[in-house]
Amino acid sequence: MRTAVFPGSFDPITLGHFDIVERAAPLFDKIIIAIGQNSQKKYMFSLEQRMDFIKRTFSDFPNVEVDHFEGLTVDYCKSKNVSFILRGLRNPADFEFEKAIAQTNRELTKDRKIETIFLLTSSGKSFISSSIVREIITFRGDYKLLVPPAVRI
């Protein structure tokens, strides 16, 4: 079974994230959207809210599930017996950052290779980021065109 983990904080999930999962869904038997917890980070939305947003957003995708984890993504992948990490790329800066992480992950998993699969975000979504959405929400701007309906609170 080809299973991919799509890790992130998803604070909140955006249409950019949706774009990646929607396009990757036919490529994998299962995609686990895994919300990573970082004790150093302050989130706008609780873990429960983020999980709910994602579950409702992908309710029509039978091969997409939602989970959460603490620690290294590769350790989570090993615990789930997953060989693929799915990542979206919006721009060249994302590529450089994600490339370094992917190479580190490969080094950490020499015994059992975990491959990172990159998908380019569709051009109409490449400017969207969770941090931009949080900023717009903070200042009471109209963020609704940047997120799936489940996040439009």
Side-chain angles (χ1 to χ4, degrees), residues 123-143:
S123 62
K125 312 275 187 310
S126 64
F127 66 94
I128 303 171
S129 71
S130 292
S131 57
I132 288 172
V133 171
R134 286 192 307 272
E135 189 79 0
I136 294 168
I137 291 170
T138 297
F139 291 103
R140 295 188 169 90
D142 187 4
Y143 64 94

Side-chain angles (χ1 to χ4, degrees), residues 6-147:
F6 186 35
S9 60
F10 305 103
D11 187 34
I13 188 166
T14 70
L15 291 179
H17 296 125
F18 180 85
D19 174 63
I20 295 298
V21 174
E22 179 182 46
R23 292 178 25 242
L27 305 175
F28 295 98
D29 299 309
K30 180 165 64 170
I31 297 174
I32 303 169
I33 301 175
I35 302 172
Q37 285 296 106
N38 181 338
S39 61
Q40 306 299 317
K41 193 170 180 182
K42 180 158 175 34
Y43 297 103
M44 177 174 274
F45 297 98
S46 71
L47 174 61
E48 293 75 20
Q49 286 174 303
R50 290 178 282 150
M51 289 187 73
D52 180 61
F53 292 158
I54 296 167
K55 285 177 183 175
R56 287 192 292 136
T57 297
F58 293 102
S59 63
D60 293 335
F61 289 71
N63 66 330
V64 175
E65 66 181 55
V66 185
D67 197 6
H68 63 92
F69 70 100
E70 289 189 31
L72 297 175
T73 302
V74 290
D75 290 340
Y76 176 78
C77 290
K78 287 179 187 178
S79 77
K80 295 292 187 177
N81 199 29
V82 171
S83 299
F84 300 100
I85 296 173
L86 176 64
R87 298 298 294 161
L89 299 175
R90 295 172 296 174
N91 54 48
D94 277 358
F95 173 74
E96 290 301 325
F97 178 74
E98 294 291 346
K99 179 178 79 168
I101 293 172
Q103 289 171 331
T104 301
N105 286 343
R106 285 196 70 183
E107 193 65 27
L108 292 173
T109 60
K110 281 187 171 182
D111 57 325
R112 188 181 166 283
K113 295 278 187 239
I114 295 177
E115 291 291 340
T116 301
I117 308 299
F118 296 114
L119 288 182
L120 299 176
T121 305
S122 297
S123 62
K125 312 275 187 310
S126 64
F127 66 94
I128 303 171
S129 71
S130 292
S131 57
I132 288 172
V133 171
R134 286 192 307 272
E135 189 79 0
I136 294 168
I137 291 170
T138 297
F139 291 103
R140 295 188 169 90
D142 187 4
Y143 64 94
K144 294 178 180 170
L145 294 175
L146 306 175
V147 297

